[in-house]
Amino acid sequence: MTEELHDGFGRGITYLRIAVTDKCNFRCVYCMPSEGVAPRAHDELLSAEEIARFVRIVAAEGVRRVRLTGGEPLVSHRILPLIRDIRAIPQIEDISLTTNGALLPKLAPALKEAGLDRVNISLDTLDPAQFSAITRLGRLAQTLDGIDAALAFGFDPVKVNCVVVRRLNQDVFELAKLSLERPVHVRFIEYMPIGNEETGADRAHDVAQDTPSRGSAAADPHCPGGVDASLWDASDTVPSAELRDRISQAAVAAGIGALEPAGEGTGPAGAGPATYWRFPGAAGTVGFISAMSNHFCSSCNRMRLTADGAIRPCLFSDAEYRVREALRSGDDAAVAAVWHDAVAHKPQEHQAIEGTERFMSQIGG
Ligand code: SAM
Ligand code: SF4
Protein backbone atom coordinates (compact mmCIF):
# COMPACT_ATOMS: atom_id res chain seq x y z
CA MET A 1 0.00 0.00 0.00
CA THR A 2 1.30 3.47 -0.91
CA GLU A 3 2.71 5.69 1.81
CA GLU A 4 0.64 8.79 2.47
CA LEU A 5 1.88 12.05 1.02
CA HIS A 6 2.85 14.74 3.56
CA ASP A 7 2.48 18.46 3.09
CA GLY A 8 5.09 21.05 4.05
CA PHE A 9 3.98 20.88 7.72
CA GLY A 10 4.06 17.11 8.15
CA ARG A 11 0.32 16.50 7.76
CA GLY A 12 -0.51 13.26 5.96
CA ILE A 13 -2.97 13.98 3.13
CA THR A 14 -5.48 11.13 3.03
CA TYR A 15 -8.85 12.79 2.49
CA LEU A 16 -10.37 14.31 -0.66
CA ARG A 17 -13.66 16.23 -0.88
CA ILE A 18 -15.06 16.43 -4.37
CA ALA A 19 -17.65 18.97 -5.59
CA VAL A 20 -19.39 16.70 -8.08
CA THR A 21 -21.50 19.60 -9.34
CA ASP A 22 -22.07 23.23 -8.40
CA LYS A 23 -25.81 22.96 -9.12
CA CYS A 24 -28.46 22.38 -6.48
CA ASN A 25 -32.20 21.81 -6.08
CA PHE A 26 -32.16 24.13 -3.01
CA ARG A 27 -30.84 27.70 -2.80
CA CYS A 28 -29.71 28.06 0.81
CA VAL A 29 -29.27 31.73 1.60
CA TYR A 30 -25.75 31.31 3.02
CA CYS A 31 -24.52 29.17 0.17
CA MET A 32 -25.99 30.25 -3.17
CA PRO A 33 -27.58 33.22 -4.88
CA SER A 34 -31.37 32.93 -5.29
CA GLU A 35 -31.05 32.43 -9.04
CA GLY A 36 -28.47 29.63 -8.64
CA VAL A 37 -24.87 29.70 -9.80
CA ALA A 38 -24.15 30.94 -13.31
CA PRO A 39 -24.52 28.10 -15.84
CA ARG A 40 -21.24 26.77 -17.21
CA ALA A 41 -20.32 25.32 -20.56
CA HIS A 42 -20.47 21.51 -20.39
CA ASP A 43 -16.74 21.09 -21.03
CA GLU A 44 -15.81 23.44 -18.18
CA LEU A 45 -16.91 20.79 -15.70
CA LEU A 46 -15.14 17.52 -15.07
CA SER A 47 -16.92 14.42 -16.33
CA ALA A 48 -17.55 11.45 -14.03
CA GLU A 49 -14.78 9.58 -15.83
CA GLU A 50 -12.33 12.44 -15.26
CA ILE A 51 -13.22 12.65 -11.56
CA ALA A 52 -12.80 8.88 -11.13
CA ARG A 53 -9.48 8.99 -12.95
CA PHE A 54 -8.31 11.79 -10.68
CA VAL A 55 -9.26 9.72 -7.62
CA ARG A 56 -7.35 6.71 -9.00
CA ILE A 57 -4.24 8.86 -9.44
CA VAL A 58 -4.36 10.48 -5.99
CA ALA A 59 -5.24 7.13 -4.35
CA ALA A 60 -1.84 6.00 -5.58
CA GLU A 61 -0.46 9.05 -3.73
CA GLY A 62 -2.02 8.09 -0.39
CA VAL A 63 -5.66 9.30 -0.48
CA ARG A 64 -7.88 6.81 1.39
CA ARG A 65 -11.19 8.57 1.99
CA VAL A 66 -13.42 10.45 -0.42
CA ARG A 67 -16.42 12.68 0.27
CA LEU A 68 -18.79 13.59 -2.55
CA THR A 69 -20.37 16.99 -2.11
CA GLY A 70 -21.23 20.07 -4.13
CA GLY A 71 -23.61 21.73 -4.88
CA GLU A 72 -26.04 18.92 -4.38
CA PRO A 73 -24.31 15.70 -5.46
CA LEU A 74 -27.62 13.85 -5.89
CA VAL A 75 -28.82 16.16 -8.69
CA SER A 76 -25.93 14.92 -10.79
CA HIS A 77 -26.99 12.17 -13.21
CA ARG A 78 -23.50 10.72 -13.04
CA ILE A 79 -23.46 10.17 -9.29
CA LEU A 80 -24.12 6.40 -9.39
CA PRO A 81 -21.50 5.51 -12.05
CA LEU A 82 -19.06 7.79 -10.25
CA ILE A 83 -19.56 5.98 -6.93
CA ARG A 84 -19.20 2.60 -8.67
CA ASP A 85 -15.93 3.70 -10.29
CA ILE A 86 -14.51 5.04 -7.03
CA ARG A 87 -15.61 1.88 -5.18
CA ALA A 88 -13.52 -0.14 -7.61
CA ILE A 89 -10.31 1.68 -6.58
CA PRO A 90 -8.65 -0.69 -4.11
CA GLN A 91 -6.93 1.95 -1.93
CA ILE A 92 -10.17 3.85 -1.21
CA GLU A 93 -11.46 2.68 2.17
CA ASP A 94 -14.37 5.04 2.71
CA ILE A 95 -16.83 6.87 0.41
CA SER A 96 -19.21 9.35 2.00
CA LEU A 97 -21.64 11.91 0.62
CA THR A 98 -23.01 15.21 1.90
CA THR A 99 -26.57 15.97 0.79
CA ASN A 100 -29.63 18.05 1.57
CA GLY A 101 -31.47 14.72 1.65
CA ALA A 102 -34.32 15.62 -0.72
CA LEU A 103 -33.45 12.92 -3.27
CA LEU A 104 -32.44 10.24 -0.77
CA PRO A 105 -35.87 8.54 -0.61
CA LYS A 106 -35.58 7.94 -4.36
CA LEU A 107 -31.87 7.15 -4.57
CA ALA A 108 -30.86 5.54 -1.27
CA PRO A 109 -31.11 1.90 -2.46
CA ALA A 110 -29.14 2.57 -5.65
CA LEU A 111 -26.52 4.56 -3.73
CA LYS A 112 -26.09 1.69 -1.31
CA GLU A 113 -25.84 -0.79 -4.13
CA ALA A 114 -23.26 1.39 -5.94
CA GLY A 115 -21.02 1.21 -2.86
CA LEU A 116 -21.62 4.42 -0.89
CA ASP A 117 -20.66 3.89 2.77
CA ARG A 118 -22.31 6.76 4.60
CA VAL A 119 -24.16 10.06 4.33
CA ASN A 120 -24.21 13.44 6.03
CA ILE A 121 -27.54 15.26 5.72
CA SER A 122 -27.83 19.02 6.16
CA LEU A 123 -30.72 20.25 8.31
CA ASP A 124 -30.66 23.69 9.91
CA THR A 125 -34.08 23.81 11.58
CA LEU A 126 -37.17 21.74 12.39
CA ASP A 127 -39.47 24.72 11.83
CA PRO A 128 -41.09 24.24 8.38
CA ALA A 129 -41.41 27.98 7.65
CA GLN A 130 -37.83 28.70 8.71
CA PHE A 131 -36.61 25.72 6.68
CA SER A 132 -38.26 27.10 3.55
CA ALA A 133 -36.89 30.59 4.26
CA ILE A 134 -33.32 29.28 4.63
CA THR A 135 -33.34 26.85 1.70
CA ARG A 136 -35.62 29.02 -0.52
CA LEU A 137 -36.69 26.01 -2.64
CA GLY A 138 -36.77 23.22 -0.06
CA ARG A 139 -39.46 21.73 2.18
CA LEU A 140 -38.70 20.33 5.63
CA ALA A 141 -40.54 17.07 4.93
CA GLN A 142 -38.15 16.28 2.05
CA THR A 143 -35.08 16.36 4.27
CA LEU A 144 -36.78 14.51 7.14
CA ASP A 145 -37.83 11.79 4.68
CA GLY A 146 -34.22 11.72 3.49
CA ILE A 147 -32.99 11.03 7.03
CA ASP A 148 -35.54 8.21 7.38
CA ALA A 149 -34.43 6.72 4.05
CA ALA A 150 -30.75 6.86 5.04
CA LEU A 151 -31.50 4.96 8.26
CA ALA A 152 -33.85 2.49 6.56
CA PHE A 153 -31.27 1.57 3.92
CA GLY A 154 -28.56 0.94 6.45
CA PHE A 155 -26.15 3.82 5.96
CA ASP A 156 -23.99 3.95 9.06
CA PRO A 157 -23.31 6.37 10.56
CA VAL A 158 -25.99 8.88 9.53
CA LYS A 159 -24.87 12.39 10.47
CA VAL A 160 -27.12 15.45 10.46
CA ASN A 161 -25.29 18.76 9.97
CA CYS A 162 -26.77 22.00 11.24
CA VAL A 163 -25.15 25.37 10.53
CA VAL A 164 -25.97 27.65 13.46
CA VAL A 165 -26.51 31.37 12.83
CA ARG A 166 -27.15 33.56 15.85
CA ARG A 167 -29.80 35.80 14.37
CA LEU A 168 -31.82 32.82 13.09
CA ASN A 169 -32.38 31.69 16.68
CA GLN A 170 -32.80 28.08 15.53
CA ASP A 171 -34.48 25.38 17.60
CA VAL A 172 -31.16 23.72 18.45
CA PHE A 173 -32.50 21.69 21.39
CA GLU A 174 -35.24 20.16 19.20
CA LEU A 175 -32.60 19.31 16.58
CA ALA A 176 -30.30 17.75 19.19
CA LYS A 177 -33.22 15.61 20.40
CA LEU A 178 -33.26 13.82 17.01
CA SER A 179 -30.40 11.80 18.53
CA LEU A 180 -32.49 10.55 21.46
CA GLU A 181 -34.44 7.73 19.84
CA ARG A 182 -32.57 7.17 16.59
CA PRO A 183 -28.88 6.42 15.90
CA VAL A 184 -28.23 9.74 14.22
CA HIS A 185 -25.35 12.04 15.02
CA VAL A 186 -26.54 15.65 15.09
CA ARG A 187 -23.61 18.00 14.53
CA PHE A 188 -23.71 21.74 15.03
CA ILE A 189 -21.36 23.72 12.81
CA GLU A 190 -20.31 27.27 13.49
CA TYR A 191 -21.46 29.52 10.66
CA MET A 192 -18.54 30.65 8.50
CA PRO A 193 -18.97 34.06 6.86
CA ILE A 194 -17.75 32.81 3.48
CA GLY A 195 -19.18 33.24 -0.01
CA ASN A 196 -22.42 34.87 1.06
CA GLU A 197 -24.06 37.99 -0.36
CA GLU A 198 -21.39 40.30 1.00
CA THR A 199 -18.28 38.55 -0.22
CA GLY A 200 -16.15 38.52 -3.30
CA ALA A 201 -18.09 35.51 -4.56
CA ASP A 202 -21.22 37.55 -4.71
CA ARG A 203 -19.56 40.51 -6.33
CA ALA A 204 -17.85 38.27 -8.89
CA HIS A 205 -21.18 36.64 -9.66
CA ASP A 206 -22.94 39.97 -10.08
CA VAL A 207 -20.31 41.20 -12.47
CA ALA A 208 -20.52 37.96 -14.46
CA GLN A 209 -24.30 38.18 -14.59
CA ASP A 210 -24.39 41.93 -15.14
CA THR A 211 -27.10 42.20 -12.50
CA PRO A 212 -27.40 44.69 -9.68
CA SER A 213 -26.12 43.49 -6.31
CA ARG A 214 -28.72 41.56 -4.33
CA GLY A 215 -30.12 43.35 -1.36
CA SER A 216 -32.69 42.21 1.16
CA ALA A 217 -34.58 38.94 0.87
CA ALA A 218 -37.72 40.95 0.18
CA ALA A 219 -36.31 41.26 -3.35
CA ASP A 220 -35.82 37.49 -3.53
CA PRO A 221 -38.37 36.08 -5.98
CA HIS A 222 -38.22 32.66 -4.31
CA CYS A 223 -38.72 33.88 -0.80
CA PRO A 224 -40.39 37.26 -0.35
CA GLY A 225 -39.91 38.40 3.21
CA GLY A 226 -37.47 35.52 3.79
CA VAL A 227 -34.10 35.30 5.49
CA ASP A 228 -31.61 38.04 4.55
CA ALA A 229 -28.12 36.51 4.65
CA SER A 230 -26.55 39.74 3.39
CA LEU A 231 -26.87 41.02 6.97
CA TRP A 232 -24.96 38.15 8.54
CA ASP A 233 -21.46 38.72 9.80
CA ALA A 234 -18.91 37.27 12.20
CA SER A 235 -21.19 38.09 15.16
CA ASP A 236 -23.57 35.41 13.81
CA THR A 237 -21.08 32.66 14.56
CA VAL A 238 -22.26 30.99 17.80
CA PRO A 239 -19.24 29.44 19.57
CA SER A 240 -19.69 25.70 20.12
CA ALA A 241 -19.13 25.95 23.88
CA GLU A 242 -22.01 28.44 24.22
CA LEU A 243 -24.28 26.24 22.13
CA ARG A 244 -23.44 23.11 24.07
CA ASP A 245 -24.26 24.88 27.36
CA ARG A 246 -27.58 26.07 25.93
CA ILE A 247 -28.58 22.57 24.76
CA SER A 248 -27.43 20.97 27.98
CA GLN A 249 -29.39 23.42 30.13
CA ALA A 250 -32.54 22.85 28.06
CA ALA A 251 -32.07 19.08 28.45
CA VAL A 252 -31.73 19.37 32.22
CA ALA A 253 -34.87 21.53 32.37
CA ALA A 254 -36.74 18.94 30.26
CA GLY A 255 -35.67 16.10 32.61
CA ILE A 256 -33.48 14.41 29.97
CA GLY A 257 -30.23 15.18 31.75
CA ALA A 258 -27.14 17.12 30.69
CA LEU A 259 -25.01 16.23 27.69
CA GLU A 260 -22.14 13.90 28.60
CA PRO A 261 -18.91 13.44 26.64
CA ALA A 262 -19.47 10.54 24.23
CA GLY A 263 -16.03 9.27 25.18
CA GLU A 264 -12.99 8.33 23.15
CA GLY A 265 -13.90 6.01 20.28
CA THR A 266 -17.65 6.13 20.90
CA GLY A 267 -18.42 8.88 18.38
CA PRO A 268 -19.43 7.91 14.85
CA ALA A 269 -16.86 6.64 12.34
CA GLY A 270 -15.09 9.29 10.27
CA ALA A 271 -15.35 11.66 13.23
CA GLY A 272 -13.11 14.36 11.71
CA PRO A 273 -12.83 17.59 13.65
CA ALA A 274 -16.06 17.28 15.69
CA THR A 275 -16.25 16.64 19.45
CA TYR A 276 -19.11 14.30 20.43
CA TRP A 277 -21.51 14.35 23.37
CA ARG A 278 -24.58 12.29 24.24
CA PHE A 279 -27.81 12.68 26.19
CA PRO A 280 -27.99 9.98 28.91
CA GLY A 281 -29.23 6.75 27.29
CA ALA A 282 -29.54 8.30 23.81
CA ALA A 283 -29.23 6.17 20.67
CA GLY A 284 -27.16 8.78 18.83
CA THR A 285 -24.79 11.63 19.67
CA VAL A 286 -24.57 15.41 19.50
CA GLY A 287 -21.42 16.83 17.91
CA PHE A 288 -19.89 20.28 17.71
CA ILE A 289 -17.62 21.54 14.95
CA SER A 290 -15.82 24.71 15.92
CA ALA A 291 -14.74 25.79 12.47
CA MET A 292 -14.37 29.40 13.60
CA SER A 293 -13.62 29.44 17.33
CA ASN A 294 -11.09 26.62 17.34
CA HIS A 295 -8.94 26.20 14.26
CA PHE A 296 -8.25 22.55 13.54
CA CYS A 297 -5.70 23.40 10.87
CA SER A 298 -2.88 21.52 12.59
CA SER A 299 -4.64 18.19 11.99
CA CYS A 300 -6.24 19.04 8.63
CA ASN A 301 -5.72 16.11 6.25
CA ARG A 302 -8.05 17.22 3.46
CA MET A 303 -7.81 18.62 -0.03
CA ARG A 304 -10.70 19.66 -2.28
CA LEU A 305 -11.46 19.19 -5.96
CA THR A 306 -13.87 21.74 -7.47
CA ALA A 307 -16.47 20.80 -10.08
CA ASP A 308 -14.48 22.66 -12.75
CA GLY A 309 -11.26 20.83 -12.00
CA ALA A 310 -9.21 22.87 -9.54
CA ILE A 311 -7.46 21.44 -6.50
CA ARG A 312 -8.01 23.61 -3.47
CA PRO A 313 -5.70 22.95 -0.50
CA CYS A 314 -7.70 25.10 1.98
CA LEU A 315 -11.41 25.97 2.14
CA PHE A 316 -10.57 29.49 3.26
CA SER A 317 -7.83 30.32 0.80
CA ASP A 318 -8.44 31.11 -2.86
CA ALA A 319 -5.18 29.47 -3.93
CA GLU A 320 -6.12 26.79 -6.49
CA TYR A 321 -4.17 24.40 -8.71
CA ARG A 322 -5.79 23.71 -12.09
CA VAL A 323 -5.77 20.05 -12.95
CA ARG A 324 -8.45 19.81 -15.68
CA GLU A 325 -6.04 20.33 -18.56
CA ALA A 326 -3.58 17.77 -17.16
CA LEU A 327 -6.43 15.27 -16.79
CA ARG A 328 -7.52 15.86 -20.37
CA SER A 329 -3.97 15.51 -21.68
CA GLY A 330 -4.12 11.83 -20.68
CA ASP A 331 -0.81 12.11 -18.82
CA ASP A 332 -1.22 10.64 -15.31
CA ALA A 333 2.24 11.85 -14.28
CA ALA A 334 1.21 15.44 -15.10
CA VAL A 335 -1.90 15.06 -12.90
CA ALA A 336 0.21 13.65 -10.05
CA ALA A 337 2.64 16.57 -10.45
CA VAL A 338 -0.19 19.13 -9.98
CA TRP A 339 -1.37 17.16 -6.92
CA HIS A 340 2.14 17.20 -5.42
CA ASP A 341 2.42 20.94 -6.06
CA ALA A 342 -0.97 21.60 -4.41
CA VAL A 343 -0.17 19.41 -1.38
CA ALA A 344 3.23 21.06 -0.98
CA HIS A 345 1.52 24.46 -0.88
CA LYS A 346 -1.24 23.61 1.61
CA PRO A 347 -1.11 26.55 4.01
CA GLN A 348 -0.18 25.92 7.63
CA GLU A 349 -3.39 27.54 8.83
CA HIS A 350 -6.07 29.88 7.59
CA GLN A 351 -6.11 33.52 8.55
CA ALA A 352 -9.14 35.72 9.15
CA ILE A 353 -12.02 34.69 6.90
CA GLU A 354 -13.03 37.53 4.65
CA GLY A 355 -14.98 35.63 2.02
CA THR A 356 -13.69 33.91 -1.08
CA GLU A 357 -14.07 34.32 -4.80
CA ARG A 358 -16.41 31.32 -4.91
CA PHE A 359 -19.68 30.34 -3.27
CA MET A 360 -19.55 27.41 -0.83
CA SER A 361 -21.54 25.35 -3.34
CA GLN A 362 -18.71 25.77 -5.85
CA ILE A 363 -15.93 24.84 -3.45
CA GLY A 364 -17.57 21.76 -2.02
CA GLY A 365 -18.42 22.54 1.62
N1 SAM B 1 -25.91 20.21 -0.92
C1 SAM B 1 -25.27 19.44 0.08
C2 SAM B 1 -25.75 19.83 1.45
O1 SAM B 1 -26.38 20.87 1.62
O2 SAM B 1 -25.47 19.06 2.36
C3 SAM B 1 -23.77 19.45 0.01
C4 SAM B 1 -23.09 20.76 -0.27
S1 SAM B 1 -23.23 21.99 0.99
C5 SAM B 1 -22.24 23.30 0.34
C6 SAM B 1 -22.22 21.26 2.25
C7 SAM B 1 -22.39 21.86 3.62
O3 SAM B 1 -21.86 23.16 3.65
C8 SAM B 1 -23.84 21.95 4.08
O4 SAM B 1 -23.96 21.26 5.32
C9 SAM B 1 -24.04 23.43 4.30
O5 SAM B 1 -24.91 23.68 5.36
C10 SAM B 1 -22.62 23.89 4.57
N2 SAM B 1 -22.41 25.32 4.36
C11 SAM B 1 -22.69 26.04 3.25
N3 SAM B 1 -22.37 27.34 3.44
C12 SAM B 1 -21.87 27.43 4.71
C13 SAM B 1 -21.34 28.49 5.53
N4 SAM B 1 -21.26 29.73 5.07
N5 SAM B 1 -20.91 28.19 6.79
C14 SAM B 1 -20.99 26.92 7.26
N6 SAM B 1 -21.43 25.89 6.54
C15 SAM B 1 -21.89 26.13 5.30
FE1 SF4 C 1 -27.59 23.42 -2.02
FE2 SF4 C 1 -26.28 22.37 -0.01
FE3 SF4 C 1 -25.75 24.87 -0.78
FE4 SF4 C 1 -28.06 24.34 0.37
S1 SF4 C 1 -26.04 24.15 1.32
S2 SF4 C 1 -27.76 25.54 -1.51
S3 SF4 C 1 -28.51 22.31 -0.29
S4 SF4 C 1 -25.39 23.07 -1.96
Side-chain angles (χ1 to χ4, degrees), residues 30-31 69-72 98-100 122 163 190-192 194 360 365:
Y30 50 70
C31 178
T69 177
E72 173 51 46
T98 302
T99 173
N100 60 36
S122 302
V163 176
E190 291 176 348
Y191 165 65
M192 298 176 272
I194 174 177
M360 188 70 112

Side-chain angles (χ1 to χ4, degrees), residues 277-298:
W277 298 67
R278 192 189 290 277
F279 293 124
T285 63
V286 180
F288 297 90
I289 301 181
S290 314
M292 298 294 293
S293 62
N294 180 14
H295 288 190
F296 29 72
C297 305
S298 63

Side-chain angles (χ1 to χ4, degrees), residues 23-28 30-32 70-72 100 122 135 361:
K23 298 192 185 63
C24 188
N25 46 355
F26 288 6
R27 298 277 187 278
C28 300
Y30 50 70
C31 178
M32 263 200 196
E72 173 51 46
N100 60 36
S122 302
T135 62
S361 54

Side-chain angles (χ1 to χ4, degrees), residues 161-359:
N161 288 342
C162 170
V163 176
V164 181
V165 179
R166 191 179 295 282
R167 74 186 70 197
L168 289 181
N169 195 22
Q170 291 135 289
D171 45 1
V172 286
F173 177 47
E174 293 304 313
L175 283 157
K177 283 198 298 183
L178 289 176
S179 70
L180 277 175
E181 306 292 338
R182 301 189 295 173
V184 298
H185 305 278
V186 181
R187 297 147 19 116
F188 294 99
I189 302 169
E190 291 176 348
Y191 165 65
M192 298 176 272
I194 174 177
N196 71 19
E197 319 271 320
E198 286 296 293
T199 68
D202 189 58
R203 289 192 297 277
H205 183 84
D206 283 340
V207 170
Q209 295 291 292
D210 197 26
T211 57
S213 218
R214 277 171 298 287
S216 74
D220 182 340
H222 296 297
C223 188
V227 173
D228 185 355
S230 71
L231 301 173
W232 301 357
D233 57 26
S235 69
D236 283 298
T237 302
V238 183
S240 291
E242 176 189 330
L243 199 62
R244 201 178 64 228
D245 281 351
R246 208 203 296 168
I247 292 170
S248 221
Q249 282 164 17
V252 170
I256 293 170
L259 283 172
E260 302 163 344
E264 195 69 25
T266 59
T275 58
Y276 285 94
W277 298 67
R278 192 189 290 277
F279 293 124
T285 63
V286 180
F288 297 90
I289 301 181
S290 314
M292 298 294 293
S293 62
N294 180 14
H295 288 190
F296 29 72
C297 305
S298 63
S299 59
C300 181
N301 62 352
R302 61 185 63 168
M303 301 282 282
R304 290 179 155 79
L305 178 69
T306 65
D308 58 357
I311 302 168
R312 203 170 157 112
C314 176
L315 174 61
F316 299 107
S317 161
D318 277 328
E320 293 183 344
Y321 297 78
R322 300 224 51 91
V323 76
R324 191 176 66 201
E325 291 68 27
L327 270 169
R328 289 183 181 165
S329 74
D331 179 355
D332 286 5
V335 175
V338 181
W339 177 253
H340 278 252
D341 193 23
V343 168
H345 288 95
K346 187 172 167 64
Q348 184 171 21
E349 57 184 11
H350 60 76
Q351 304 302 324
I353 297 165
E354 291 171 351
T356 81
E357 291 299 313
R358 289 177 183 260
F359 289 99

